[in-house]
């Protein structure tokens, strides 16, 4: 399964919606889930497949009420088992841990050990996502630790997108 997370900062909702709509169509044409970062209201407005919530972006229960039973709802849990358990109890469809590696995408204060992925997948059925500075070169320990999904940004968009995607696919196929 593939998903695309629409993440823009510093733009109002009208401008964000205008930017998102063509990307959402592309994702829909390719059976790629289209998730909105941080904004339940923008996800609702666009009829997105779901929303990814940071710790200050709303409650998964509210997102479920607003977006409906089939929406994919994810929650950033940084390096916290407690936050992940709370997110699961609140109805999140996945939890995200990170940043595992240095990243230029955002300021990072939490650096979990990959062991948190192993712990999560051993104890819970809800999928987990590894986030933060992930490249085809450094992803293997996260996959081996149990990450169900890898969230990648700069690794793909900072160079030859097709080559990086091929490298990730090769890594995940082995």
């Amino acid at each position: 399964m593939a998903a695309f997370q629409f993440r823009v900062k510093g733009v109002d909702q009208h401008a964000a919606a205008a930017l998102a709509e063509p990307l959402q169509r592309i994702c829909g044409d390719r059976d790629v889930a289209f998730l909105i970062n941080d904004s339940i209201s923008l996800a609702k407005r666009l009829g997105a497949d779901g929303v990814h919530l940071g710790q200050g972006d709303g409650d998964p229960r509210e997102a479920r009420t607003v977006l409906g039973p089939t929406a994919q709802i994810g929650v950033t849990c940084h390096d916290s088992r407690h936050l992940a358990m709370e997110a699961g109890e609140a109805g999140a469809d996945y939890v995200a841990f990170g940043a595992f590696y240095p990243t230029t995408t955002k300021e990072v204060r939490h650096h979990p050990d990959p062991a948190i992925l192993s712990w999560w997948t051993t104890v819970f059925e809800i999928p987990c996502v590894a986030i933060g500075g992930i490249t085809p070169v450094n992803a293997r320990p996260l996959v081996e630790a149990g990450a169900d999904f890898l969230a990648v940004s700069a690794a793909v968009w900072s160079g030859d997108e097709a080559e990086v995607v091929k490298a990730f696919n090769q890594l995940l196929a082995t």
Side-chain angles (χ1 to χ4, degrees), residues 6-166:
F6 179 73
R7 182 177 186 266
V8 294
K9 301 288 185 177
V11 250
D12 71 34
Q13 193 172 88
H14 298 295
L19 292 170
E21 287 170 347
L23 297 170
Q24 186 176 14
R25 279 193 298 278
I26 291 168
C27 289
D29 291 345
R30 288 160 179 81
D31 291 324
V32 172
F34 187 78
L35 307 178
I36 301 296
N37 186 64
D38 295 346
S39 177
I40 297 168
S41 62
L42 183 59
K44 174 72 172 175
R45 175 179 178 167
L46 293 171
D49 297 306
V51 66
H52 180 87
L53 301 172
Q55 284 299 307
D57 299 323
D59 185 285
R61 290 176 192 89
E62 174 194 359
R64 181 70 62 214
T65 299
V66 172
L67 301 177
T70 61
Q72 295 178 38
I73 299 169
V75 178
T76 296
C77 300
H78 305 298
D79 60 354
S80 173
R81 294 174 182 205
H82 178 74
L83 290 176
M85 288 186 287
E86 284 185 339
E89 289 172 8
D93 294 297
Y94 69 87
V95 297
F97 297 105
F100 284 95
Y101 304 111
T103 179
T104 58
T105 307
K106 63 170 30 178
E107 184 181 331
V108 175
R109 293 179 293 155
H110 306 278
H111 303 280
D113 186 279
I116 198 168
L117 301 167
S118 300
W119 167 79
W120 182 262
T121 58
T122 300
V123 178
F124 298 97
E125 293 183 18
I126 298 169
C128 65
V129 178
I131 293 178
I134 300 168
T135 69
V137 173
N138 66 19
R140 180 155 304 286
L142 303 175
V143 173
E144 290 173 352
D148 295 295
F149 298 96
L150 302 174
V152 297
S153 180
V156 172
W157 304 115
S158 297
D160 184 333
E161 295 94 355
E163 285 303 314
V164 173
V165 170
K166 285 180 193 172

